[in-house]
Amino acid sequence: MSNNKYDKYEVIIGLEVHAQLSTLSKMYSGDSAEYGGSPNTHVSAVSLGHPGTLPMVNEKAIEYAVKIGLATHSEIRHENQFARKNYFYADLPKGYQITQDKTPICTNGCIEFELEGEKKSVRLTRIHLEEDAGKSIHDMDPYFTLVDLNRAGVPLIEIVSEPDLRSGDEAMAYLNEVRKLVRYLGICDGNMEEGSMRCDANVSVRLKGATDFNQRSEIKNMNSMRNVKRAIEYEFIRQIDTVEAGEKLAQETRGFDAVKGITLSQRSKEHAHDYRYFPEPDLPPVLLTDEYIQSVKADMPKLSAELKEEYMQRLELPEYDARLLSDDKYTSEYFNQLIEHTTNYKAASNWMLGPIKSYLNENGIEIQQFKIAPAQIAALVALIDEGKTNFSVASAKIFPALLAQLDKTPLQIAQELNLLQNSDETMIAELVAQALAKFPEKVSEYHAGKKGLLGLFVGEVMKLSKGKADPKLTNKLLLEKLES
Ligand code: ADP
Ligand code: MG
């Protein structure tokens, strides 16, 4: 008998992701949707829902929602209604949120990702449009809670998955894929830490092999992928402990305490809100034609999966390279520019995943902040291909010098630092002859089978050339001489 009670169970997870759309103005008003700003300066009477004001739907937000819908293979709704979700809270000035209830803009999509080499597809129940609430600030004043309404009304999409995820790692991989998608589409910056992407996790457990779902808890508003994973793993244990102790699980909302690494009950189903949804009377339905949807589709950038495929097929790069190069929008953009200047795709990839990546990691910056132009990297590749330098000299010496002198070409730098290698065949042949003449007994040993001595001769030619002989050519000429 298994002595680990947890082994008998599996975890069931469905995620609800809120992503802030990066539009200039808010979802239903012309107020700026920009992050920050002095508190309560991006707030007009429309955002406050004052009598006599009328909301209007942000067209850009519709376009962004259609984009994510198309990217997730969803059905796009042609007649979009909005609904009021009523509740009272200090950071909700209207007393209701305008959302989509019965008619989400996207349905029946899916998100595909890979985890440890295995492909997984998660079904999406829906993606709908809504608006964000303001922000309550509890720690700035000793007596009062302060409210900043700049965020109230900023457009959000909510992406609701089916309960298809089966581990904390899968949940993380799914969230990573969502972030990749919204970034590639340019519809959300995807920063969980800054709150532009937030996640609620619905978690339940069941005996392996069972087909029914059990009571779930919903863990609210987590702000990092790691915390989502931690919360799920904690819930897995807690729920099994509860069931195995013969207690009943409650359907409840819980919060995650990231410091203690535990979830805590916030409210049970009995205290759940009754939001009294009804159709928003101030907004006519938004009608989307097939032509409109087609025009959005035509405007879509290539996405990660498509680029990866292209890198493998057209550029004949290994899967590993293709995956890393397509993983992030800005990395692929840089790489795409780079390969406009060179046809040595593998060398270009090696530069991206080698020296450039190390440089970014060491300096804690992103590729967007990388200063060397793609054409310059292509020039480095060409310099090596022409035998004027080699990869180790180029990456260890020319590359850092280039970072310090962005206006110079790699060739100029190589000349100034006296780093151009010699690929003059007659001259290297002469040095080869000298090297072999210096060690006649080693040459005999070589011929007797000690092929490893080749390194010694290469080293000697390098020494004679003061490190400048083209190593490839040196090797070739030495072999010709020795094997003839
Ligand atoms: P609500 O409106 O209360 O949030 P929904 O039916 O819309 O409820 O479901 C919300 C999320 O909960 C969805 O992502 C869904 O996949 C997930 N979910 C539903 N049942 C379960 C379950 N038994 N275990 C885990 N997740 C679940
Ligand atoms: Mg929910």
Side-chain angles (χ1 to χ4, degrees):
M1 203 184 93
S2 160
N3 54 6
N4 187 343
K5 62 181 174 184
Y6 305 111
D7 285 350
K8 295 183 293 184
Y9 290 87
E10 67 174 346
V11 67
I12 310 288
I13 308 148
L15 296 182
E16 296 165 82
V17 175
H18 283 96
Q20 240 176 49
L21 298 178
S22 43
T23 54
L24 294 175
S25 57
K26 290 187 181 176
M27 184 64 216
Y28 308 108
S29 80
D31 292 351
S32 167
E34 201 184 330
Y35 180 77
S38 297
N40 301 306
T41 53
H42 303 164
V43 195
S44 67
V46 187
S47 288
L48 299 173
H50 280 186
T53 61
L54 282 176
M56 253 168 64
V57 172
N58 184 329
E59 210 178 311
K60 207 70 188 171
I62 298 275
E63 180 193 318
Y64 286 0
V66 171
K67 276 190 171 158
I68 183 90
L70 292 170
T72 54
H73 321 288
S74 301
E75 291 157 30
I76 312 289
R77 187 178 305 276
H78 290 87
E79 185 171 336
N80 283 272
Q81 250 137 24
F82 291 84
R84 279 193 192 179
K85 178 180 179 178
N86 300 279
Y87 66 100
F88 176 78
Y89 204 74
D91 59 22
L92 189 78
K94 296 201 290 259
Y96 57 86
Q97 178 194 33
I98 306 179
T99 177
Q100 291 189 294
D101 178 28
K102 301 256 170 5
T103 61
I105 186 161
C106 315
T107 47
N108 295 326
C110 66
I111 286 184
E112 285 143 352
F113 60 87
E114 246 181 72
L115 182 63
E116 283 156 10
E118 290 216 18
K119 279 200 170 64
K120 168 118 193 171
S121 178
V122 170
R123 292 167 299 154
L124 300 182
T125 319
R126 58 191 280 157
I127 303 175
H128 66 256
L129 279 159
E130 58 186 35
E131 59 182 329
D132 212 342
K135 209 170 158 175
S136 299
I137 304 155
H138 303 290
D139 54 3
M140 212 181 241
D141 186 281
Y143 304 108
F144 298 104
T145 289
L146 306 181
V147 179
D148 178 5
L149 296 177
N150 283 354
R151 203 180 64 186
V154 165
L156 298 177
I157 43 168
E158 179 173 343
I159 307 169
V160 183
S161 87
E162 291 287 308
D164 286 350
L165 294 155
R166 293 291 178 271
S167 70
D169 285 318
E170 282 192 8
M172 261 175 86
Y174 169 87
L175 287 171
N176 192 46
E177 195 61 36
V178 172
R179 183 169 67 182
K180 222 155 80 176
L181 269 179
V182 295
R183 285 187 175 166
Y184 259 100
L185 293 168
I187 65 172
C188 166
D189 67 29
N191 284 331
M192 282 194 84
E193 287 73 14
E194 290 169 15
S196 35
M197 215 174 101
R198 307 190 284 268
C199 177
D200 303 340
N202 297 271
V203 183
S204 65
V205 297
R206 70 178 176 194
L207 286 170
K208 283 180 185 162
T211 48
D212 287 350
F213 290 128
N214 290 324
Q215 206 67 276
R216 69 185 148 106
S217 59
E218 179 171 6
I219 308 146
K220 282 286 191 195
N221 265 323
M222 281 164 292
N223 63 352
S224 84
M225 293 188 198
R226 237 195 94 58
N227 283 346
V228 173
K229 174 179 147 93
R230 290 170 71 206
I232 289 167
E233 288 172 356
Y234 178 84
E235 269 303 290
F236 178 62
I237 302 292
R238 185 192 69 82
Q239 292 188 15
I240 294 168
D241 287 347
T242 308
V243 174
E244 292 269 314
E247 289 163 38
K248 253 187 127 54
L249 282 166
Q251 177 157 343
E252 59 182 355
T253 302
R254 300 178 72 87
F256 181 64
D257 181 330
V259 178
K260 297 204 182 102
I262 61 173
T263 66
L264 293 163
S265 182
Q266 290 179 334
R267 62 179 138 92
S268 66
K269 190 72 183 173
E270 295 84 74
H271 298 107
H273 289 300
D274 176 2
Y275 293 116
R276 291 165 195 274
Y277 283 98
F278 63 84
E280 169 57 59
D282 288 341
L283 284 175
V286 172
L287 305 177
L288 305 180
T289 61
D290 282 328
E291 295 78 64
Y292 171 78
I293 296 168
Q294 280 311 317
S295 73
V296 174
K297 194 171 192 168
D299 196 35
M300 299 253 289
K302 278 187 191 159
L303 301 176
S304 179
E306 196 181 342
L307 283 169
K308 181 180 165 198
E309 209 45 39
E310 187 179 316
Y311 293 162
M312 288 169 66
Q313 300 303 326
R314 187 171 73 81
L315 310 185
E316 295 178 354
L317 291 176
E319 205 259 357
Y320 175 84
D321 294 44
R323 178 154 45 81
L324 291 181
L325 293 169
S326 63
D327 205 34
D328 160 71
K329 174 185 181 168
Y330 299 103
T331 303
S332 69
E333 277 178 1
Y334 190 97
F335 182 66
N336 289 342
Q337 289 174 30
L338 176 52
I339 56 172
E340 278 176 23
H341 297 97
T342 177
T343 50
N344 192 343
Y345 306 127
K346 182 60 181 135
S349 170
N350 290 346
W351 274 94
M352 295 286 302
L353 306 180
I356 296 177
K357 192 158 181 252
S358 310
Y359 171 77
L360 299 178
N361 287 344
E362 278 156 26
N363 292 279
I365 56 173
E366 306 277 326
I367 188 96
Q368 300 97 290
Q369 281 115 34
F370 182 60
K371 291 277 172 7
I372 302 180
Q376 297 278 71
I377 299 295
L380 269 173
V381 171
L383 220 51
I384 297 166
D385 287 347
E386 289 157 12
K388 295 204 175 93
T389 186
N390 57 60
F391 180 76
S392 52
V393 170
S395 57
K397 305 233 168 90
I398 306 178
F399 180 72
L402 198 54
L403 277 160
Q405 308 169 73
L406 293 164
D407 53 328
K408 290 196 176 142
T409 66
L411 180 62
Q412 282 171 329
I413 287 177
Q415 280 164 339
E416 283 175 20
L417 298 179
N418 204 15
L419 291 172
L420 286 180
Q421 73 188 6
N422 201 327
S423 41
D424 175 343
E425 196 159 335
T426 344
M427 193 185 145
I428 294 176
E430 171 59 28
L431 299 180
V432 163
Q434 281 180 34
L436 296 180
K438 193 169 165 192
F439 301 108
E441 66 292 0
K442 298 285 179 202
V443 174
S444 312
E445 284 176 38
Y446 179 93
H447 287 308
K450 273 185 91 177
K451 302 288 181 196
L453 283 167
L454 182 66
L456 173 86
F457 305 131
V458 174
E460 187 58 25
V461 175
M462 283 299 166
K463 214 153 98 194
L464 291 169
S465 73
K466 300 196 171 63
K468 290 195 178 168
D470 177 348
K472 254 200 216 141
L473 188 57
T474 305
N475 253 293
K476 179 176 154 253
L477 295 179
L478 267 169
L479 282 173
E480 274 173 21
K481 245 327 197 249
L482 287 164
E483 302 292 337
S484 62

